[in-house]
Amino acid sequence: MVDFRKSVVALLAAASVSGLLAGAPAEAQTLKVVMHSDVKILDPIWTTAYIQRNFGYMVWDVLFAMDEKFEVKPQMVDKYEVSADKLTWTFTLRDGLVWSNGQPVTAEDCIASIKRWSARDSMGQKMMGSVAGLEAVDAKTFRMKMKEPYGLVLQSLGKPSSNVPFMMPKKTAETDPLQQIKVEDVIGSGPYVFVANEWKPGEKTVFLKNTKYKPRAEPPSGLAGGKVVKVDRVEWLAMPDAQTQNGEIDMIESPSHDLLPLLAKDKNIKLFSANPLGNQYVMRFNQLSKPFDNPKVRHAVMVAFGQEDFLKATIGDPQYYKLCKPVFICGTPLASEDGMKDVLNQNPAKAKELLKEAGYDGTTIVLLQSTDLPVLTNLAPVAKAQMEAAGLKVDMQSSDWQTVVARRVKKDPPDKGGWHAMLTSWVAADILNPVMAGFFNSACGDKAMFGWPCDEKIEKMRDTFAKESDPEKQKQIAIDLQKYWVDHPTHINLGQWYQPAALRTNLEGSMVAPVTVFWNVTKK
């Protein structure tokens, strides 16, 4: 696939900004959209990559969902009850829920889906650690019995972003969590149907309105409420040939930030910011391999890094980024500067001293770079430069994002197809607390996310947070965790950034949500 930035620039040169988005629609009820990445993987449980999460929201539904006020609301669930001792949760599904193949959605399907999701998701793992068992009461009702009261049940089942607890048929959900589901098992419970025979990786991914889907009666809000589909077909287009796309695109999910001033001036285009809390850049360590098995080396990298170079190189315009040392999103209740004074100041001299004290032996760091996503491409060169300034040897290896996604789950040695470090971004809604934030998961082995940290103290603090209901006590736990994490980092936060989408002015109804979704959207 041609680099996204180059493709859009070519379009602008060939047809002007308005030619990109504001030409005559090819089909009145078809949306043609350029997403932030191509779809080469179909399983949103197997990977946390956001394009697979977005795919998941098209095809599958959820038991609970988060509205635009970040409140969790029932979605596939009609009603739920909690026993007085808070040890039994009973969930009853809405009437009329069917899979896209016409079969009814059952309690057994939901139980299997929760089990598969929780095997891969940080928040799901923590919840299931307090679960004694799941059982079907009847076709539409199931119970979750707890070993002990757990304060984040609804927040876990209503988790808005990767990994999302999407409900899948039992047969699909019984796929090994460490293996990808098969194309033929993409049978949905959500508002759209994936058209497998039109899927062409590198070209397009097609969805049709799911005529069997039953929306809730409430108005839509965020990711909750009535998911009413108002177009017949949605095509996610890769951009292999800029010229062929001229005048056919209705929306670009993530236009390059250096094009936003041009797009803002065009009367036929509107910029829409659906995610007011934004995103956070991070670098992830692989702790299975030297030297990042040593927390002192990881801490030295945090001392070497400064956020501003990363943000300038990727976003550029300060109105779309924010320096933010706290690991939990600035502007939210758990954000704190405690423990952050001596890190993220871009201090290579101090970092060099720390590396020497840590016994760094000159091991070459294999740093993964994704080349096809403008918001990520320039992160790795900055990381390489800042690490090398501190005395680390770095081999930056480049590929497209989907290749990075596939490679980052490999535990092979870095010189045999594995890796030492990679850079990515989290939606703010994914990282608001220590249990939600997957990169804090330090449960050891395959329970941890790629990077595979193993730290009993971090896990104990996450457990304590999950079982604490007092907000002030939760905040102190988060502060204590942050202070410890600075010296034992699982990842490094590199600042916050914001991404508006570019839409034709004839599109209406886009949702304010941390995920790009296509229900409620109309095309006039």
Side-chain angles (χ1 to χ4, degrees):
M1 185 175 73
V2 174
D3 178 84
F4 182 85
R5 180 189 299 262
K6 292 180 180 178
S7 296
V8 175
V9 170
L11 274 171
L12 291 172
S16 81
V17 179
S18 62
L20 174 63
L21 290 166
E27 300 176 48
Q29 295 304 313
T30 296
L31 292 182
K32 296 194 175 186
V33 182
V34 175
M35 299 296 284
H36 69 272
S37 180
D38 186 25
V39 176
K40 296 180 181 177
I41 298 167
L42 304 178
D43 190 344
I45 305 301
W46 183 81
T47 178
T48 58
Y50 284 151
I51 193 64
Q52 277 68 55
R53 173 208 62 188
N54 292 16
F55 179 91
Y57 272 108
M58 296 293 281
V59 176
W60 291 288
D61 211 346
V62 291
L63 296 174
F64 293 86
M66 191 174 284
D67 68 13
E68 63 183 29
K69 297 179 180 178
F70 296 97
E71 296 176 357
V72 176
K73 304 292 184 182
Q75 191 63 32
M76 295 175 77
V77 166
D78 177 41
K79 60 183 179 179
Y80 66 95
E81 298 174 354
V82 188
S83 62
D85 60 8
K86 300 189 184 302
L87 294 179
T88 302
W89 291 73
T90 304
F91 305 96
T92 301
L93 299 173
R94 292 192 286 128
D95 291 333
L97 298 182
V98 297
W99 301 108
S100 53
N101 62 5
Q103 295 298 309
V105 176
T106 69
E108 293 283 2
D109 296 321
C110 297
I111 289 172
S113 295
I114 291 171
K115 288 180 176 178
R116 184 170 189 261
W117 159 74
S118 64
R120 294 304 302 265
D121 180 71
S122 169
M123 204 166 186
Q125 289 171 9
K126 198 59 69 180
M127 181 187 77
M128 290 300 284
S130 295
V131 172
L134 290 156
E135 63 178 18
V137 177
D138 55 41
K140 289 181 15 182
T141 306
F142 66 96
R143 289 196 186 104
M144 184 164 69
K145 295 186 175 180
M146 314 300 292
K147 303 173 188 174
E148 58 193 346
Y150 185 77
L152 299 177
V153 170
L154 296 183
Q155 290 88 338
S156 300
L157 295 177
K159 190 170 184 280
S161 191
S162 299
N163 296 70
V164 179
F166 292 116
M167 294 298 104
M168 301 179 179
K170 182 179 179 182
K171 178 178 180 294
T172 304
E174 287 178 340
T175 303
D176 183 338
L178 298 178
Q179 301 294 323
Q180 296 182 43
I181 63 174
K182 298 177 181 178
V183 176
E184 58 266 29
D185 289 334
V186 181
I187 298 169
S189 54
Y192 286 91
V193 177
F194 169 58
V195 186
N197 62 5
E198 292 194 54
W199 179 40
K200 298 178 181 178
E203 184 177 335
K204 67 178 179 179
T205 305
V206 177
F207 307 90
L208 297 179
K209 178 179 180 178
N210 182 1
T211 58
K212 296 181 176 65
Y213 179 70
K214 182 180 179 181
R216 293 188 69 88
E218 303 97 311
S221 175
L223 298 171
K227 299 180 180 179
V228 178
V229 173
K230 299 180 179 180
V231 295
D232 300 314
R233 178 182 174 98
V234 177
E235 296 181 3
W236 290 359
L237 303 173
M239 202 174 276
D241 185 342
Q243 299 300 325
T244 63
Q245 302 301 330
N246 183 30
E248 296 182 0
I249 297 171
D250 295 299
M251 172 182 172
I252 298 174
E253 184 190 26
S254 301
S256 177
H257 283 75
D258 59 8
L259 297 178
L260 293 178
L262 290 173
L263 295 168
K265 292 177 181 178
D266 195 292
K267 65 181 180 180
N268 298 299
I269 297 168
K270 58 184 176 182
L271 298 180
F272 177 71
S273 296
N275 180 18
L277 286 180
N279 315 270
Q280 183 190 77
Y281 281 131
V282 293
M283 189 178 86
R284 177 65 159 175
F285 297 107
N286 180 354
Q287 296 189 35
L288 296 183
S289 299
K290 292 182 179 299
F292 292 147
D293 60 336
N294 184 342
K296 293 182 179 180
V297 175
R298 302 195 302 271
H299 172 74
V301 178
M302 191 180 285
V303 171
F305 277 1
Q307 293 181 345
E308 191 161 14
D309 284 357
F310 288 95
L311 295 167
K312 284 182 175 179
T314 51
I315 307 305
D317 188 339
Q319 73 172 308
Y320 294 115
Y321 72 72
K322 177 191 294 185
L323 297 177
C324 176
K325 281 191 175 185
V327 70
F328 300 112
I329 294 295
C330 286
T332 64
L334 298 186
S336 170
E337 293 279 348
D338 287 36
M340 304 300 296
K341 178 181 177 182
D342 296 324
V343 297
L344 295 175
N345 297 322
Q346 197 169 345
N347 189 339
K350 180 62 176 178
K352 193 171 292 187
E353 292 176 11
L354 293 172
L355 286 171
K356 184 176 180 180
E357 292 172 11
Y360 170 62
D361 61 2
T363 298
T364 298
I365 305 301
V366 174
L367 174 66
L368 303 186
Q369 180 199 24
S370 63
T371 57
D372 59 334
L373 304 184
V375 294
L376 296 181
T377 298
N378 292 338
L379 292 174
V382 174
K384 174 180 167 68
Q386 293 192 4
M387 284 194 285
E388 288 178 339
L392 289 157
K393 296 180 180 178
V394 181
D395 175 19
M396 187 175 73
Q397 299 186 9
S398 304
S399 62
D400 64 65
W401 175 240
Q402 292 294 299
T403 300
V404 172
V405 167
R407 185 173 176 180
R408 70 186 184 182
V409 299
K410 294 182 179 180
K411 294 183 177 180
D412 304 293
D415 61 350
K416 292 182 169 38
W419 56 285
H420 282 110
M422 59 84 61
L423 295 120
T424 186
S425 178
W426 286 98
V427 165
D430 275 330
I431 51 176
L432 298 178
N433 67 54
V435 180
M436 293 179 75
F439 279 175
F440 277 110
N441 182 348
S442 301
C444 305
D446 288 332
K447 289 186 177 180
M449 293 181 66
F450 59 89
W452 307 283
C454 181
D455 193 309
E456 292 182 2
K457 188 164 183 178
I458 289 178
E459 282 305 289
K460 185 176 180 180
M461 285 188 276
R462 294 177 71 235
D463 281 336
T464 304
F465 183 94
K467 295 168 187 175
E468 180 57 66
S469 58
D470 185 321
E472 288 304 313
K473 291 181 180 179
Q474 284 184 332
K475 183 166 186 176
Q476 187 58 53
I477 295 166
I479 289 172
D480 292 342
L481 172 58
Q482 180 170 284
K483 289 178 177 178
Y484 177 82
W485 163 82
V486 165
D487 291 320
H488 303 78
T490 56
H491 61 289
I492 302 176
N493 53 314
L494 301 173
Q496 290 175 214
W497 63 280
Y498 307 88
Q499 175 68 71
L503 289 70
R504 291 180 187 264
T505 53
N506 65 340
L507 294 189
E508 297 179 357
S510 296
M511 302 304 302
V512 175
V515 180
T516 300
V517 293
F518 294 92
W519 56 80
N520 200 52
V521 176
T522 60
K523 184 174 178 179
K524 302 297 185 180

